[in-house]
Amino acid sequence: MSNYQDVIKELIKFRDERDWQQFHDSKNLALAISIEAAELNELFLWKKESQSDDVNIDKLKEELADVLSFSFLLAEKHHLDIFQIVLDKIKKNDEKYPVSKAKGTARKYDEL
């Protein structure tokens, strides 16, 4: 099992060996995340909810890896600690969605 820094190093090595850093500005990385997320969504397109867990696991892994890779590169570009920003978001969501109001409901925070 690799740690986050090992993954980042491998992503940067792969990118730099191909001289792709020139294309990895924030806008293009954000667009790449969106495009890869759309490809991830495509795996579930036209499936009934009951079929959604029967996704091709190899394709799921590939598309998820693409989304995560571009996300990691965008975070690295801006010197963001991915674990810290996720923890910060959890804390923010905890304040928006207190258990006493949000448990068992999918309503948005301004509808609680």
Side-chain angles (χ1 to χ4, degrees), residues 29-42 62-68 70:
L29 289 170
L31 287 171
I33 293 166
S34 179
I35 291 164
E36 295 301 341
E39 291 178 12
L40 176 64
N41 283 331
E42 190 175 26
E62 281 190 32
E63 299 307 337
L64 211 58
D66 289 340
V67 170
L68 291 168
F70 287 122

Coordinates of all heavy atoms in Angstrom, one line a residue, residues 29-42 62-68 70:
L29 N -6.8 21.4 -15.3 CA -7.0 20.3 -14.3 C -8.4 20.2 -13.8 O -9.0 19.1 -13.7 CB -6.0 20.5 -13.1 CG -4.5 20.3 -13.4 CD1 -3.6 20.7 -12.3 CD2 -4.3 18.8 -13.8
A30 N -9.0 21.4 -13.6 CA -10.4 21.4 -13.1 C -11.3 20.8 -14.2 O -12.2 20.0 -13.9 CB -10.9 22.8 -12.7
L31 N -11.1 21.2 -15.5 CA -11.8 20.6 -16.6 C -11.6 19.1 -16.7 O -12.6 18.4 -17.0 CB -11.5 21.3 -17.9 CG -12.0 22.8 -18.0 CD1 -11.3 23.4 -19.3 CD2 -13.5 22.8 -18.1
A32 N -10.4 18.7 -16.5 CA -10.1 17.3 -16.6 C -10.9 16.5 -15.5 O -11.4 15.4 -15.8 CB -8.6 17.0 -16.5
I33 N -10.9 17.1 -14.3 CA -11.7 16.4 -13.2 C -13.2 16.3 -13.7 O -13.8 15.2 -13.5 CB -11.6 17.2 -11.9 CG1 -10.2 17.2 -11.4 CG2 -12.6 16.7 -10.9 CD1 -9.9 18.2 -10.3
S34 N -13.7 17.3 -14.2 CA -15.1 17.3 -14.6 C -15.4 16.3 -15.7 O -16.3 15.6 -15.7 CB -15.5 18.7 -15.1 OG -16.8 18.8 -15.5
I35 N -14.5 16.3 -16.7 CA -14.6 15.3 -17.8 C -14.5 13.9 -17.3 O -15.3 13.0 -17.7 CB -13.6 15.7 -18.9 CG1 -14.0 17.0 -19.6 CG2 -13.5 14.5 -19.9 CD1 -12.9 17.6 -20.4
E36 N -13.5 13.6 -16.5 CA -13.4 12.3 -16.0 C -14.5 11.9 -15.1 O -15.0 10.7 -15.1 CB -12.0 12.1 -15.2 CG -10.8 12.3 -16.1 CD -10.7 11.3 -17.3 OE1 -11.4 10.3 -17.3 OE2 -10.0 11.6 -18.2
A37 N -15.1 12.8 -14.3 CA -16.3 12.6 -13.5 C -17.5 12.2 -14.4 O -18.3 11.3 -14.1 CB -16.6 13.8 -12.6
A38 N -17.6 12.9 -15.5 CA -18.6 12.6 -16.5 C -18.5 11.1 -17.0 O -19.4 10.4 -17.2 CB -18.6 13.6 -17.6
E39 N -17.2 10.7 -17.3 CA -17.0 9.4 -17.7 C -17.3 8.4 -16.6 O -17.8 7.3 -16.9 CB -15.5 9.2 -18.2 CG -15.2 10.0 -19.5 CD -13.8 9.9 -19.9 OE1 -13.0 9.0 -19.4 OE2 -13.4 10.6 -20.8
L40 N -17.1 8.7 -15.4 CA -17.5 7.9 -14.3 C -19.0 7.8 -14.2 O -19.5 6.7 -14.1 CB -16.9 8.5 -13.0 CG -17.3 7.8 -11.6 CD1 -16.7 6.4 -11.6 CD2 -16.8 8.7 -10.5
N41 N -19.7 8.9 -14.4 CA -21.1 8.9 -14.4 C -21.7 8.0 -15.5 O -22.7 7.4 -15.4 CB -21.7 10.3 -14.5 CG -21.6 11.0 -13.2 OD1 -21.7 10.5 -12.2 ND2 -21.5 12.4 -13.3
E42 N -21.0 8.0 -16.7 CA -21.4 7.3 -17.8 C -21.6 5.8 -17.5 O -22.4 5.1 -18.1 CB -20.5 7.5 -19.0 CG -21.0 6.9 -20.3 CD -20.0 7.3 -21.4 OE1 -18.8 7.5 -21.2 OE2 -20.5 7.4 -22.6
E62 N -10.7 2.5 -13.1 CA -10.0 3.4 -14.0 C -10.6 4.8 -14.0 O -9.8 5.8 -13.9 CB -10.2 2.8 -15.4 CG -9.2 1.7 -15.7 CD -9.2 1.4 -17.2 OE1 -9.5 2.3 -18.1 OE2 -9.0 0.2 -17.5
E63 N -11.9 5.0 -14.0 CA -12.4 6.3 -14.0 C -12.2 7.0 -12.7 O -11.9 8.2 -12.6 CB -13.9 6.3 -14.4 CG -14.2 5.7 -15.8 CD -13.4 6.4 -16.9 OE1 -13.0 7.5 -16.8 OE2 -13.3 5.7 -18.0
L64 N -12.4 6.3 -11.6 CA -12.1 6.9 -10.3 C -10.7 7.3 -10.1 O -10.4 8.4 -9.6 CB -12.5 5.8 -9.2 CG -13.0 6.3 -7.9 CD1 -14.2 7.1 -8.0 CD2 -13.3 5.1 -7.0
A65 N -9.7 6.5 -10.6 CA -8.3 6.8 -10.6 C -8.1 8.1 -11.4 O -7.3 8.9 -11.0 CB -7.5 5.7 -11.2
D66 N -8.7 8.3 -12.5 CA -8.6 9.5 -13.3 C -9.0 10.7 -12.5 O -8.3 11.7 -12.5 CB -9.3 9.4 -14.6 CG -8.7 8.4 -15.6 OD1 -7.5 8.1 -15.5 OD2 -9.4 8.0 -16.6
V67 N -10.2 10.6 -11.9 CA -10.8 11.7 -11.1 C -9.8 12.1 -10.0 O -9.5 13.2 -9.8 CB -12.2 11.4 -10.6 CG1 -12.7 12.4 -9.6 CG2 -13.2 11.3 -11.8
L68 N -9.4 11.0 -9.3 CA -8.5 11.3 -8.1 C -7.1 11.8 -8.6 O -6.6 12.7 -7.9 CB -8.3 10.0 -7.3 CG -9.6 9.5 -6.6 CD1 -9.4 8.1 -6.1 CD2 -9.9 10.4 -5.4
F70 N -6.3 13.7 -11.2 CA -6.3 15.1 -11.5 C -6.7 15.9 -10.3 O -6.2 17.1 -10.2 CB -7.3 15.4 -12.7 CG -6.9 14.9 -14.0 CD1 -7.6 14.0 -14.7 CD2 -5.7 15.4 -14.5 CE1 -7.1 13.5 -16.0 CE2 -5.2 15.0 -15.8 CZ -5.9 14.0 -16.5

